[in-house]
Amino acid sequence: FGSRQNKFKMTWADVRLSIEEGLLPMVPLSCPQIIFLTMEDFTSSRTAMLYYIVLNLAIVANIGSIVLSSLETKGYFADNFKIVSELCVYLFVFDYSMKALCVTSCPIALFDEAWLIATA
């Protein structure tokens, strides 16, 4: 780390020790940044992982309902395919709307580790 004159060497053991002792700098995030990070990075929290799983299951359910609705089904099953498709569309619209609203509050530097360390 650092410039050519002021080099700073850090080994993995140093990083590991810092993590274990809780010495990492905390970077305060605003509410839109937390929401965007949760929706974009499924490794950021358990909530993000749950959202990721739900969104992927919705994608599979939507594709399945589209394929199955193209078959000749009538009555009860045809109505269920329509309901599943509509619920998936509502979830996808919610996902993209929230990301569109929150992304303006997230500087690209939020995902730049060097910037995070410098500002912490």
Side-chain angles (χ1 to χ4, degrees), residues 17-54:
L17 182 65
S18 297
I19 292 170
E20 288 174 353
E21 293 181 2
L23 299 175
L24 296 176
M26 295 297 294
V27 177
L29 299 175
S30 67
C31 185
Q33 291 171 339
I34 292 170
I35 292 170
F36 186 79
L37 190 61
T38 300
M39 295 177 95
E40 277 296 305
D41 183 13
F42 67 91
T43 62
S44 64
S45 67
R46 289 184 180 158
T47 304
M49 179 59 82
L50 179 65
Y51 183 76
Y52 174 77
I53 291 169
V54 167

Side-chain angles (χ1 to χ4, degrees), residues 48-75:
M49 179 59 82
L50 179 65
Y51 183 76
Y52 174 77
I53 291 169
V54 167
L55 199 61
N56 281 304
L57 288 175
I59 291 169
V60 170
N62 193 32
I63 291 170
S65 70
I66 291 170
V67 169
L68 293 174
S69 68
S70 67
L71 302 174
E72 290 187 26
T73 56
K74 295 180 183 176

Side-chain angles (χ1 to χ4, degrees), residues 75-92:
Y76 179 74
F77 291 112
D79 293 337
N80 286 341
F81 296 142
K82 184 178 179 183
I83 291 170
V84 168
S85 291
E86 285 179 8
L87 289 175
C88 290
V89 167
Y90 292 141
L91 179 63
F92 300 148

